Amino acid sequence: MTIDWSNLPETATFAEAAQLADELGLFPGATADKLRHLARSRKDTWPFGDQGDGHPYEYGKVANARKMRTEVLLKHLEEYPPNPQGRGPDKQPRRKKKQ
């Protein structure tokens, strides 16, 4: 897939990045919460972190939101696509809810 980098914003919040990833087909159905989950679950490969975390890129901060470099995030999603099947298979049968 070829992405036209000239039309993309330089930085994006999780919500803005999720919308872009969904529109570009890199992460269908992406939401800000799903991207945050990727960030937490991919500690070894996620390119962003706070200062001193040892990640190659730092989060920016605008008001109460974290911002990421859009190009870096989208290249990460190309290289490490999210699991298209969602969560993995159940390891145990589902438990019935107690009433």
Side-chain angles (χ1 to χ4, degrees):
M1 171 188 286
T2 305
I3 299 172
D4 181 11
W5 301 108
S6 63
N7 293 334
L8 298 175
E10 188 175 327
T11 60
T13 63
F14 278 95
E16 295 164 344
Q19 184 178 2
L20 277 172
D22 185 31
E23 289 172 2
L24 295 172
L26 294 172
F27 190 174
T31 64
D33 285 337
K34 288 180 182 181
L35 275 181
R36 286 185 196 97
H37 174 74
L38 281 181
R40 287 189 303 270
S41 63
R42 295 181 172 185
K43 292 179 183 175
D44 295 340
T45 60
W46 190 253
F48 302 99
D50 293 321
Q51 188 174 9
D53 282 351
H55 293 276
Y57 300 95
E58 290 181 17
Y59 287 114
K61 190 104 170 157
V62 174
N64 238 7
R66 288 181 166 183
K67 295 210 62 122
M68 303 167 279
R69 290 185 48 196
T70 307
E71 183 176 345
V72 173
L73 174 66
L74 296 180
K75 285 183 179 180
H76 172 78
L77 291 175
E78 279 183 323
E79 189 174 340
Y80 301 99
N83 184 356
Q85 286 83 32
R87 56 182 231 130
D90 287 338
K91 295 187 175 163
Q92 296 179 352
R94 301 264 175 151
R95 295 181 187 173
K96 293 187 178 185
K97 291 184 179 180
K98 295 181 181 179
Q99 293 184 12

